[in-house]
């Protein structure tokens, strides 16, 4: 085994099944998916989305995942970026204020849709499980970064940047 803290996280995610989720987690995931799809639809025509689409569609790669409302497949990372960008464009997406004002829904659902679309045999329950676990760990990672004042934490731009150490 390794000292890498990602191992326990990966082990938990791989061992968790849909049946392990409490009903409240399933209902929360369903609501978040519906809300995020609405935000993606609303933001699909926002300034910058067409430009982002033009840039990412030139990058090339395996056309494995759908870009919502575009009728086109791109590599999973580009599809996830575009779908999540549409969802956050109007800034109406979910906010978890107790975690430091983060928007877990768009990043989680964008990634889940892209990966699931690139695989065969994915069920609705698989999508719900992935969204529930992704949202939980996304929020937990933000809480951890806020409580320690160190590490990496997502910035509003969506990039990962080193956090500044808090002054004592």
């Amino acid at each position: 085994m390794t000292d890498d803290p990602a191992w326990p996280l990966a082990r938990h995610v791989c061992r968790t099944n849909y049946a392990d989720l409490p009903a409240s987690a399933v209902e929360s995931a369903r609501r978040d998916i519906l809300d995020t799809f609405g935000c993606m639809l609303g933001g699909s025509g926002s300034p910058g989305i067409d430009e982002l689409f033009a840039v990412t569609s030139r990058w090339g790669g395996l056309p494995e995942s759908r870009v919502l409302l575009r009728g086109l497949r791109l590599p999973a990372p580009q599809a996830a970026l575009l779908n999540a960008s549409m969802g956050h464009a109007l800034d109406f997406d979910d906010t978890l204020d107790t975690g430091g004002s983060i928007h877990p829904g768009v990043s989680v659902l964008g990634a889940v849709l892209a990966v699931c679309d690139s695989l065969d045999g994915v069920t609705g329950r698989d999508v719900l499980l992935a969204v529930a676990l992704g949202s939980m760990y996304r929020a937990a990672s933000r809480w951890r970064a806020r409580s320690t004042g160190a590490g990496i934490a997502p910035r509003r731009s969506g990039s990962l940047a080193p956090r500044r150490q808090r002054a004592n």
Side-chain angles (χ1 to χ4, degrees):
M1 194 53 80
T2 177
D3 289 335
D4 187 336
W7 279 105
L9 165 65
R11 188 172 39 255
H12 179 260
V13 168
C14 290
R15 291 180 179 170
T16 302
N17 296 306
Y18 179 84
D20 298 326
L21 295 176
S24 60
V26 173
E27 184 56 33
S28 291
R30 285 182 177 148
R31 275 195 317 269
D32 198 45
I33 289 169
L34 182 60
D35 178 71
T36 304
F37 272 133
C39 292
M40 289 173 171
L41 176 62
S44 63
S46 293
I49 298 299
D50 286 339
E51 293 82 359
L52 181 61
F53 179 74
V55 169
T56 57
S57 62
R58 289 192 309 258
W59 289 347
L62 183 65
E64 57 194 346
S65 302
R66 282 175 269 231
V67 177
L68 298 175
L69 306 167
R70 296 290 175 146
L72 183 72
R73 289 179 171 271
L74 292 176
Q78 284 101 299
L81 173 65
L82 274 159
N83 291 333
S85 295
M86 285 188 272
H88 188 62
L90 298 175
D91 204 14
F92 291 151
D93 50 317
D94 64 339
T95 302
L96 181 61
D97 291 324
T98 58
S101 191
I102 62 170
H103 301 267
V106 293
S107 57
V108 170
L109 186 60
V112 167
L113 291 175
V115 171
C116 289
D117 204 20
S118 71
L119 302 172
D120 291 325
V122 176
T123 68
R125 287 183 171 200
D126 295 332
V127 172
L128 285 167
L129 175 63
V131 167
L133 288 171
S135 296
M136 179 182 71
Y137 280 108
R138 175 67 183 91
S141 69
R142 181 61 176 163
W143 288 326
R144 173 89 172 103
R146 299 266 305 168
S147 68
T148 62
I152 57 172
R155 299 290 181 221
R156 186 150 179 84
S157 66
S159 66
L160 290 177
R163 285 185 58 98
R164 292 186 308 246
Q165 294 292 330
R166 291 182 184 165
N168 292 330

